[in-house]
Amino acid sequence: MERLNVPGPKAKQIVAEDSKFISNSYPRAYPFVMDHGKGTEVWDVDGNRYLDFAAGIAVTGTGHSHPEVVKAIKDQADKFLHISSDFYHPIWVELAKRLDSISPFEEEAASFMTNSGTESVEAAIKLARFHTGRSQFIGFLGGFHGRTYGSLAFTASKPVYRHGFFPLMNGVVHAPYPDPYRQILNSKEGEPYGETVVRYIEEQLIGRVVPADDIAGILIEPIQGEGGYIVPAEGFFPALRKLCDKYGIMLIADEVQSGMGRTGKWWAIEHFDVIPDIITTAKGIASGIPLGAIIAKKSVMTWPKGAHGNTYGGNPVASAAAIATIDLIEREYLQNATDMGQYMMGALEEIKSSHDSIGEVRGIGLMLGVDFIKDKTSRKPDAEIRDQVERLSFEYGLVTLGCGKSTIRFAPPLSITKGEIDEGLQIFNHVIGLAERGD
């Protein structure tokens, strides 16, 4: 298997210029400098070809530069690029209707358009506070919800995100995420671990820290993203929904990374047979054009005119890209995410059987994580080998990203084929062997 000579000379030059003129706050994984892409394939500025198993962090769900998305963008750009939210435009209304059609609610949905995931979270927490008249929230350890001040109060995946930025927005307490692989709470006999976590929330957080009638919402990723692509333990979401109903708390599903067909359903929370009150979305909604939204039950979207707004949300070009994206996912890629996700999971499990450094393969659809460990008894995360695998994958032509303490995440385009999975995982298997040997 050929190792690429990367970064090449053009890439090195651009990386050097980047260090002079771009904020050094960006967490760059390795020196991949993209030139162009098509579907799952991408090329760097020196002509090296890669398979993209990260998709811009689960953004380019329809693949890079899908012709139908590009056409929708160009057609709208020929008409007009922008009109502020002080006025109306038909494609914005059409997008809202489409979001209503794919929402999991039993009642009608109303949407507020944003420009990013963190802005969607900010809007969701404002709406929850206004609708309930309450001020407090519960989040989860390991969660990532953005880096602006409201969302950062919930983000609890890495201390670097908070260091130097205190005080944050007040009113947020955190519970353990229901990680079935690394459980930190003790369950009662016969109690599913997911129910244990909800019992902890009720007995310890509500019972000792924050009164229930002060809690506006519980914000959670249905599958934790930055925290390690963790699928919650059995029994968790039904018990959490029951808790929210008991105390009149809004259940807010942060689907910024897990939504838009990534798991084979429109929303990851649908796998757990519960209905949230508010959904946040962004990333995969418009195939790479900046756009986000909150989608809420119409009965929850009770704030008055002027209570919240923005300049660019619902931008016509972004809305056109989103409608084309929804069409493609609905027609082709929702089922493909299920089929290729099952195929990829099986292939990763086979790879796991050959490598003692892999502790767990987990995920749903095309949101899959491979967790590296020091040993199978302690399950202690091995960040060093994960980082080596990530770097070596790049050097052999596979774009991946880490998450959590020791996980490689796989979030390729929803359009990925079996052949591309086979090619990419052949590289992945090879570099794990190199990392294990210290090559």
Side-chain angles (χ1 to χ4, degrees):
M1 188 170 292
E2 183 180 357
R3 195 169 192 164
L4 302 175
N5 184 21
V6 291
K10 292 181 180 179
K12 287 179 180 178
Q13 180 182 352
I14 292 170
V15 169
E17 291 176 349
D18 178 284
S19 68
K20 291 182 180 180
F21 301 110
I22 302 293
S23 169
N24 61 3
S25 63
Y26 290 104
R28 304 297 172 74
Y30 40 80
F32 171 65
V33 182
M34 185 168 170
D35 180 76
H36 65 283
K38 197 70 175 175
T40 308
E41 297 177 292
V42 292
W43 287 263
D44 72 10
V45 291
D46 293 289
N48 295 300
R49 173 189 172 271
Y50 302 79
L51 287 172
D52 184 2
F53 277 23
I57 317 181
V59 168
T60 55
T62 60
H64 290 281
S65 300
H66 193 288
E68 292 185 29
V69 177
V70 171
K71 182 178 186 303
I73 292 167
K74 289 180 175 179
D75 288 349
Q76 180 55 46
D78 284 339
K79 295 178 181 179
F80 63 100
L81 296 175
H82 171 74
I83 183 72
S84 79
S85 58
D86 294 291
F87 303 104
Y88 305 85
H89 64 84
I91 202 159
W92 189 5
V93 177
E94 178 60 27
L95 173 58
K97 289 167 64 178
R98 296 299 299 277
L99 293 177
D100 170 64
S101 73
I102 65 174
S103 82
F105 310 136
E106 294 175 349
E107 62 179 84
E108 285 187 345
S111 295
F112 178 92
M113 310 306 177
T114 71
N115 307 286
S116 66
T118 194
E119 190 183 329
S120 295
V121 171
E122 296 282 350
I125 61 181
K126 283 184 69 176
L127 177 60
R129 277 184 165 176
F130 184 89
H131 179 72
T132 63
R134 303 174 181 182
S135 61
Q136 306 297 296
F137 291 91
I138 294 174
F140 290 84
L141 298 175
F144 183 88
H145 303 280
R147 296 181 178 91
T148 52
Y149 266 94
S151 60
L152 186 59
F154 290 90
T155 292
S157 53
K158 294 177 182 176
V160 67
Y161 297 143
R162 293 171 162 227
H163 179 64
F165 300 115
F166 291 99
L168 306 178
M169 182 191 84
N170 63 17
V172 181
V173 296
H174 290 81
Y177 194 84
D179 181 353
Y181 188 63
R182 294 188 178 95
Q183 301 178 13
I184 64 173
L185 299 176
N186 294 320
S187 298
K188 294 179 179 179
E189 185 176 353
E191 180 183 55
Y193 186 63
E195 294 181 13
T196 301
V197 174
V198 175
R199 177 169 57 81
Y200 173 88
I201 293 171
E202 184 166 28
E203 293 179 357
Q204 303 302 323
L205 297 187
I206 295 176
R208 294 172 179 264
V209 181
V210 56
D213 58 5
D214 281 327
I215 302 173
I218 295 178
L219 175 66
I220 186 166
E221 298 163 278
I223 297 175
Q224 206 165 63
E226 171 70 17
Y229 272 37
I230 299 169
V231 179
E234 178 186 354
F236 174 70
F237 267 111
L240 186 66
R241 178 72 266 183
K242 185 176 179 180
L243 180 78
C244 289
D245 291 341
K246 179 178 178 179
Y247 294 112
I249 298 169
M250 297 282 99
L251 179 56
I252 307 168
D254 185 340
E255 297 267 10
V256 168
Q257 189 161 174
S258 61
M260 296 308 299
R262 170 88 4 223
T263 65
K265 293 183 182 291
W266 283 110
W267 313 107
I269 200 166
E270 293 180 276
H271 290 281
F272 308 107
D273 296 322
V274 301
I275 298 174
D277 300 294
I278 303 171
I279 290 171
T280 67
T281 185
K283 290 192 185 298
I285 193 173
S287 295
I289 301 299
L291 181 68
I294 62 169
I295 310 165
K297 294 177 178 178
K298 187 69 177 292
S299 60
V300 171
M301 194 77 78
T302 54
W303 49 13
K305 183 180 295 186
H308 196 53
N310 58 26
T311 299
Y312 292 105
N315 171 271
V317 177
S319 294
I323 291 170
T325 298
I326 291 170
D327 285 342
L328 286 164
I329 295 173
E330 194 167 52
R331 188 175 72 231
E332 301 178 47
Y333 300 144
L334 204 60
Q335 185 61 49
N336 197 62
T338 296
D339 296 341
M340 293 302 98
Q342 291 173 352
Y343 180 76
M344 194 171 191
M345 174 67 87
L348 287 170
E349 287 285 2
E350 187 173 340
I351 290 172
K352 173 179 176 286
S353 68
S354 302
H355 297 283
D356 289 339
S357 63
I358 298 177
E360 184 181 44
V361 175
R362 55 181 176 251
I364 303 175
L366 287 172
M367 187 174 184
L368 301 174
V370 178
D371 194 325
F372 290 89
I373 55 172
K374 292 186 180 294
D375 63 84
K376 293 187 183 294
T377 302
S378 70
R379 298 181 177 179
K380 186 175 181 180
D382 194 332
E384 183 179 352
I385 196 168
R386 187 275 309 275
D387 292 347
Q388 289 177 321
V389 169
E390 182 186 56
R391 175 183 56 81
L392 287 165
S393 293
F394 162 64
E395 293 178 3
Y396 279 86
L398 179 66
V399 176
T400 65
L401 283 172
C403 62
K405 292 183 177 180
S406 58
T407 301
I408 291 287
R409 73 181 97 180
F410 290 109
L414 307 185
S415 57
I416 195 168
T417 65
K418 282 186 178 180
E420 290 166 339
I421 291 172
D422 290 342
E423 182 184 355
L425 293 189
Q426 184 180 11
I427 295 171
F428 186 62
N429 185 44
H430 177 68
V431 301
I432 293 172
L434 295 179
E436 288 175 334
R437 294 192 298 271
D439 293 351

